[in-house]
Amino acid sequence: IPALTIFFILFGILILLGDFKFNGGLNSVTGNVVKGGISLPALPVVLTTALVDSINPCAIGVLILLLGTLITLSKNKHKMLITGIIYILAIYVTYFLAGIGLLLFIQRFNLAESIGIVVGILIIILGLIEIKDFFWYGKGFSLSIPYKRSLQIKEKVKKITTPGAIVLGIFVAAVELPCTGGPYLAITALLSRIGFDPTVVGYLLIYNFIFVLPLIVILLLVYFGLSAKKLQDWKNKNRKWMRLITGLVMVGLGILLILFSKNIISFSVY
């Protein structure tokens, strides 16, 4: 998973650099806008998915662990705030660049139509797994950060420095994709068939801002006095509801993606 994330980031950067150098900018990197029987605005779908993706327990749990460790190691709340901001920015940039790379990869190899149904079915399956965790949390297979990676995260958090927050943010963004990547994959697959222009890039910027927004809120709450333990207790109490909401939206996204791939519906960006 980390290797795939790095691959898509590098792929996107190389493609964009090549197009700016030889063709003059974003307008040269375009896809086909597919028309279907029913036209839906893309922005509400992007916003709704981002809101649901943002409440995932994986990203929230790692941030709470980080803040709790920083408070324990140092009472300097200013340092905690700066470290938290750098960490969140690293996650934002990593997710955004990975999304750009994946979108361009799908378009460059003309995979949008063929991959749409496959991704749609995959997203539905992942959504059902999330719904399963509402009823039987921790039983059987779950979408979560791999145990080995979670241990690595805990070790990195213990040794965290302000510059090290950049590395931690990139690492966490890469390894938590099994937990958080389903909705993002669906949105990227949808946008890949619409095209690649400043509007689509703007959608990804908005999506990722909403994704990290709860992390910003949690950081400010801890900075202004709320204990990390209370946040951890709240997360543990409500995580099954987070899973249920995420699962339902993922099933809906998977259905939309399949309908989109079959040209039954289309999405407009304006």
Side-chain angles (χ1 to χ4, degrees):
I1 293 297
L4 273 178
T5 305
I6 294 170
F7 169 78
F8 286 126
I9 289 173
L10 294 177
F11 181 88
I13 291 173
L14 290 173
I15 291 295
L16 288 177
L17 288 176
D19 275 286
F20 271 102
K21 181 177 180 180
F22 296 110
N23 300 315
L26 287 176
N27 290 333
S28 62
V29 192
T30 56
N32 297 319
V33 178
V34 182
K35 301 295 184 183
I38 302 172
S39 180
L40 300 175
L43 184 57
V45 178
V46 172
L47 295 178
T48 302
T49 306
L51 283 169
V52 171
D53 199 12
S54 71
I55 61 171
N56 77 85
C58 294
I60 292 174
V62 173
L63 179 65
I64 292 172
L65 173 64
L66 172 63
L67 297 180
T69 303
L70 287 173
I71 291 173
T72 302
L73 295 177
S74 172
K75 300 300 181 183
N76 188 339
K77 283 195 171 184
H78 179 71
K79 179 182 177 182
M80 181 202 74
L81 181 65
I82 297 300
T83 304
I85 290 172
I86 293 173
Y87 168 79
I88 292 171
L89 276 173
I91 287 182
Y92 179 87
V93 172
T94 303
Y95 261 74
F96 172 71
L97 292 178
I100 291 290
L102 178 58
L103 192 151
L104 289 173
F105 182 85
I106 292 172
Q107 289 184 343
R108 285 293 164 139
F109 294 99
N110 296 317
L111 299 174
E113 186 170 351
S114 59
I115 205 174
I117 295 176
V118 175
V119 172
I121 293 171
L122 175 63
I123 297 301
I124 290 173
I125 293 172
L126 295 177
L128 292 174
I129 292 172
E130 292 279 58
I131 293 171
K132 179 270 298 180
D133 276 340
F134 174 77
F135 298 99
W136 304 285
Y137 191 87
K139 302 287 180 65
F141 180 77
S142 295
L143 303 181
S144 59
I145 298 175
Y147 179 70
K148 179 182 176 182
R149 299 300 185 186
S150 68
L151 293 179
Q152 289 178 312
I153 290 171
K154 289 178 181 177
E155 287 302 313
K156 289 179 184 293
V157 166
K158 290 177 183 177
K159 304 170 185 176
I160 193 67
T161 61
T162 301
I166 299 174
V167 178
L168 179 64
I170 295 171
F171 181 76
V172 169
V175 301
E176 73 179 5
L177 277 179
C179 184
T180 64
Y184 198 31
L185 174 61
I187 286 297
T188 306
L190 285 173
L191 294 178
S192 69
R193 297 198 72 202
I194 293 173
F196 188 80
D197 60 19
T199 303
V200 171
V201 173
Y203 283 173
L204 285 179
L205 287 169
I206 293 170
Y207 184 102
N208 284 288
F209 174 73
I210 295 174
F211 177 76
V212 300
L213 191 56
L215 304 183
I216 297 171
V217 172
I218 289 171
L219 175 62
L220 293 175
L221 287 174
V222 174
Y223 179 75
F224 287 109
L226 186 64
S227 74
K229 186 179 184 307
K230 284 185 178 180
L231 284 171
Q232 183 69 44
D233 292 341
W234 176 87
K235 189 210 80 166
N236 291 338
K237 181 180 178 181
N238 294 281
R239 61 187 175 185
K240 72 174 187 175
W241 291 101
M242 298 178 192
R243 299 278 186 175
L244 176 63
I245 296 170
T246 302
L248 291 173
V249 170
M250 286 174 68
V251 170
L253 274 173
I255 294 171
L256 280 178
L257 192 52
I258 292 171
L259 294 176
F260 189 33
S261 298
K262 302 295 287 185
N263 294 334
I264 297 173
I265 62 172
S266 64
F267 287 94
S268 60
V269 295
Y270 302 106

